[in-house]
Amino acid sequence: FVNYPQIKQEIELAKPNGNLDVVFRKYCRKSHHLRDCITNFTETLEPCLSPHERGSKQTFLDMLDSLIKFVCFKEGRHIALFIAEGGPECLMSNEENIQQCLNSTFSHYIPQEAGDNTNDFPHFQLGQSECRDVTKAQKCIVDHLEKCSDPTPANIINSLWLYIRKVTPCQQFERVSSDAGLPTASSVLALTTAALLITTLH
């Protein structure tokens, strides 16, 4: 689907000419391959999941669809703008702060001594308490991103979370106005996927 060294080179060549949208248009047109790959992966993983996690599989796929739709809006306009306005640099300069936000909010979900038994590991779920914790972490992260020299990356990340949130159970638990400028709960997965994608492409 994506040759990362190749796309990174294409991005660097396109930046000076303002042609990032051309690069992402090409890859966004292949996004259905990524969706198929993830679907096959989740189906392979399904026997290892708990009954509750199997029920959450569709939520995971819905979140992935929303992520792809947002990133590839108008054939990549969002991600092209994010990169052009220093988004990857903003994320990387806040790498430690982001990690601290995640650790301070989610560390209690991870067993101190996880053994080989899969029951020792936390289950994927988005209940009211999880959504509340995601909101705390995301507010913490966006607060740091807003300190970058350009507010555009923080605004795009915030909009991404708001967009993905609509397809998660968190929608029913929280009502946060986008006018407040704070991200609402979507998923740690969405944040991690977006951050990995964007920083890898940089």
Side-chain angles (χ1 to χ4, degrees):
F1 172 63
V2 174
N3 181 321
Y4 286 110
Q6 178 181 336
I7 191 174
K8 183 175 181 180
Q9 182 180 26
E10 291 179 29
I11 289 172
E12 293 304 321
L13 291 174
K15 267 185 180 180
N17 303 319
N19 291 329
L20 285 171
D21 57 330
V22 176
V23 176
F24 290 111
R25 182 183 305 128
K26 177 175 71 174
Y27 288 99
C28 281
R29 288 177 178 176
K30 300 179 181 180
S31 61
H32 63 282
H33 295 304
L34 174 62
R35 176 59 159 81
D36 292 342
C37 180
I38 298 297
T39 299
N40 291 338
F41 173 75
T42 57
E43 289 177 352
T44 302
L45 191 64
E46 188 163 353
C48 303
L49 303 178
S50 69
H52 179 84
E53 288 173 320
R54 291 191 192 104
S56 300
K57 186 180 74 170
Q58 189 57 49
T59 298
F60 171 80
L61 294 174
D62 290 343
M63 288 160 50
L64 175 66
D65 286 338
S66 291
L67 174 63
I68 292 173
K69 288 177 183 177
F70 184 89
V71 170
C72 288
F73 173 73
K74 293 191 175 179
E75 298 188 313
R77 177 177 294 183
H78 283 148
I79 191 169
L81 179 62
F82 183 88
I83 291 177
E85 299 300 330
E89 293 85 354
C90 179
L91 281 177
M92 288 188 289
S93 67
N94 282 283
E95 183 177 358
E96 290 186 7
N97 292 327
I98 291 172
Q99 189 62 54
Q100 289 176 0
C101 289
L102 296 175
N103 288 343
S104 64
T105 310
F106 300 111
S107 59
H108 64 280
Y109 289 108
I110 309 299
Q112 294 297 316
E113 296 182 2
D116 295 331
N117 191 334
T118 56
N119 292 327
D120 292 335
F121 294 94
H123 292 173
F124 171 74
Q125 61 181 11
L126 283 174
Q128 187 168 8
S129 61
E130 289 83 9
C131 289
R132 183 168 54 246
D133 285 339
V134 172
T135 299
K136 291 177 183 177
Q138 292 177 342
K139 180 184 183 304
C140 176
I141 291 168
V142 168
D143 283 347
H144 285 295
L145 297 182
E146 287 177 340
K147 296 175 183 176
C148 293
S149 58
D150 192 309
T152 302
N155 291 338
I156 291 176
I157 292 294
N158 182 55
S159 296
L160 169 65
W161 286 331
L162 289 170
Y163 189 75
I164 294 177
R165 169 183 176 263
K166 296 177 182 178
V167 299
T168 71
C170 297
Q171 175 77 354
Q172 63 182 307
F173 298 130
E174 301 180 26
R175 294 291 182 270
V176 180
S177 170
S178 60
D179 293 336
L182 300 178
T184 51
S186 57
S187 159
V188 181
L189 174 65
L191 168 64
T192 305
T193 303
L196 285 175
L197 172 65
I198 293 167
T199 54
T200 302
L201 295 182
H202 176 61

